[in-house]
Structure formats: C-alpha cells, structure tokens
Amino acid sequence: MSVLLLPRLTALGISNILESVDANQLTPIKARAIIEDGASMLSYAASGGSRSEDLAIELGRAIRDIAIRSGFPENSSQVARSRFDHEAAIYLASHPELGTGESLRDDVWSYLATVIAPDIVAWRYPDCAPHRFSGGVRNTLQRLWSRGQVLDRGEAHPDRWGLVRSLSEDAAVQIFERPSVAGNVPLAMAIAEEWVAMAAKVGRGRMEPIMRRATKLVRLRNEIVDIAGLPAEARKALVAHCFELARASLEN
C-alpha cells in the first residue's frame, strides 16, 4: 500500500501566517494565500509515498463537520468544545490513512491546524495561543489524535471509545502532557481506566485533585517498578492503590 504523504508546514511558516493575520480572523483561504507567497514554508517527505493534498482537505472537511455538529462557530461552551474533542479524537484515531508515520510528524499537524482548520482552532481555543497551531502535545488536532490512539480499547470491546468520551479535560491533560505517562500506553490506559472507576465511586466533581495526586504517586512508583511490564491485573491493582491513597489523603 502506498503511503499518502501530507503537506508539512515549517515553524517559519506558522510564524508568518500568525503574524500576517490576526489568529481570530484566520481562515483556510487566508492561510493558503500566505503559503502561496512563500512556497519554501511548505514541504513533503522526500520519498516513501505519494503526495496528497486531497487527504488534508478530506481531513479538514470531516473535522469541520464535527465542529459544526458540536456548535461551531456560535456555540463555544465547554460542553460544545468537549463534544468536539471526543468526536474528533475518535475520527482521527480511526482514520486508516493516519495510521502511518506521517501522523508522528509535528509539522504535518502544524499544517492541518494552521492552514486547513485555523478558524476551528480559534473556536476551540479563543486565546489562540501559538502552541495550539504548532505541532506538539498541545496542537489542537494532534493532541486529539494521540488521545484516540492511546485510549482505544480495541474494535472487539463493547465500549471501544468509552475512555475517550469519559475522561475530563483535566484528566486527559494529566496523562497526555506528561511524556513518562503518555509514551507508555499500558500505563496511560491503566490510569484512564482507574479514573473512570474512581469517578463512578466519588463523582466526577471530586476527581481533579484526586487525579493530580494519584498521577504523581503512579509516576513515583514507576521510577521504582516498571508498571507497564507488570501483568495486567498487578498493574491495575497498583494504579488503583495509588488512586485510593490519593483519595484518602485528601479526605483526612
């Protein structure tokens, strides 16, 4: 199968676009006009597949449809933005053409966020911070693709995307903005599963301090024991113990 190669946007390209147009006023048409005046800002992988601007357009169209169904552009409530995050994460993680090395490239996500869907980025994050456009763990779309990839329980699971839809934004940040956790899929999954279990016991409203403390405890344990290398039941029990310690310490 030939890999479809997505356009890539350089850091200079991001800067030029964001400095040329107020991010709150940026549209795909305006971003493309700036790119056309500076072709060196745009690139593709040198080899290994076929260039496909069409794939980027397809992704942008689908992401826009999800955003519109979630409330874009008028409704920017937390509920609307959470709905967008959940459905976009599932779409991106499920897309067969994003299961290649192209998805691991920060500059690919820079292009998608800055050129293909800048107005959706501005709707999702009204402060329009540059890191929401640049590739990385805080890129508006890349972060969602990562969540979907890691939290996918598998096609055979009766609630395959339950973790994606259940986790609060704070819980997701605790997992995905810590490289020692986000880069360790079994550990990230165990923490996410325990968050859901604990939230069912104590209520979602109490979970933020518990999650933050539990994550610290898990990371400390992971310095001593390779939690991901433990049998699944032992891993689950250790993570659950950390959550219980966190809950108890906050109640005393």
Side-chain angles (χ1 to χ4, degrees), residues 55-84:
L55 175 57
I57 293 171
E58 174 199 326
L59 294 171
R61 186 181 299 121
I63 290 296
R64 189 167 302 277
D65 287 345
I66 292 170
I68 290 170
R69 291 199 300 273
S70 301
F72 171 83
E74 292 88 1
N75 182 359
S76 63
S77 67
Q78 185 174 348
V79 171
R81 286 180 284 168
S82 292
R83 185 183 303 122
F84 168 76

Side-chain angles (χ1 to χ4, degrees), residues 14 16 76 92 134 145 148 158 179 182 204 207 221 239:
I14 299 169
N16 283 349
S76 63
L92 292 170
S134 301
W145 173 80
R204 294 172 62 92
M207 284 304 296
R221 297 292 193 284
V239 173

Side-chain angles (χ1 to χ4, degrees), residues 155-200:
E155 292 184 16
H157 196 286
D159 188 17
R160 178 178 180 180
W161 301 108
L163 293 178
V164 173
R165 291 195 169 105
S166 296
L167 285 188
S168 68
E169 179 63 20
D170 179 75
V173 167
Q174 296 304 312
I175 294 173
F176 290 97
E177 294 196 6
R178 287 171 169 72
S180 63
V181 177
N184 188 329
V185 174
L187 180 58
M189 284 284 286
I191 293 174
E193 293 282 7
E194 192 53 37
W195 187 95
V196 172
M198 180 64 78

Side-chain angles (χ1 to χ4, degrees), residues 36-189:
E36 289 174 0
D37 289 339
S40 63
M41 294 183 284
L42 186 65
S43 68
Y44 286 86
S47 61
S50 305
R51 296 184 177 188
S52 179
E53 169 72 7
D54 288 346
L55 175 57
I57 293 171
E58 174 199 326
L59 294 171
R61 186 181 299 121
I63 290 296
R64 189 167 302 277
D65 287 345
I66 292 170
I68 290 170
R69 291 199 300 273
S70 301
F72 171 83
E74 292 88 1
N75 182 359
S76 63
S77 67
Q78 185 174 348
V79 171
R81 286 180 284 168
S82 292
R83 185 183 303 122
F84 168 76
D85 280 359
H86 298 159
E87 299 312 311
I90 293 168
Y91 168 75
L92 292 170
S94 304
H95 199 295
E97 296 297 347
L98 294 181
T100 72
E102 286 293 277
S103 304
L104 302 177
R105 296 286 308 195
D106 287 352
D107 45 7
V108 163
W109 294 103
S110 296
Y111 182 85
L112 292 173
T114 311
V115 178
I116 294 294
D119 46 345
I120 294 172
V121 173
W123 168 75
R124 177 60 184 84
Y125 291 103
D127 63 349
C128 294
H131 58 247
R132 299 303 181 187
F133 296 88
S134 301
V137 296
R138 294 188 172 182
N139 177 282
T140 303
L141 301 177
Q142 187 173 1
R143 56 190 270 284
L144 298 179
W145 173 80
S146 297
R147 291 182 190 183
Q149 285 285 312
V150 172
L151 301 178
D152 181 0
R153 285 167 163 163
E155 292 184 16
H157 196 286
D159 188 17
R160 178 178 180 180
W161 301 108
L163 293 178
V164 173
R165 291 195 169 105
S166 296
L167 285 188
S168 68
E169 179 63 20
D170 179 75
V173 167
Q174 296 304 312
I175 294 173
F176 290 97
E177 294 196 6
R178 287 171 169 72
S180 63
V181 177
N184 188 329
V185 174
L187 180 58
M189 284 284 286

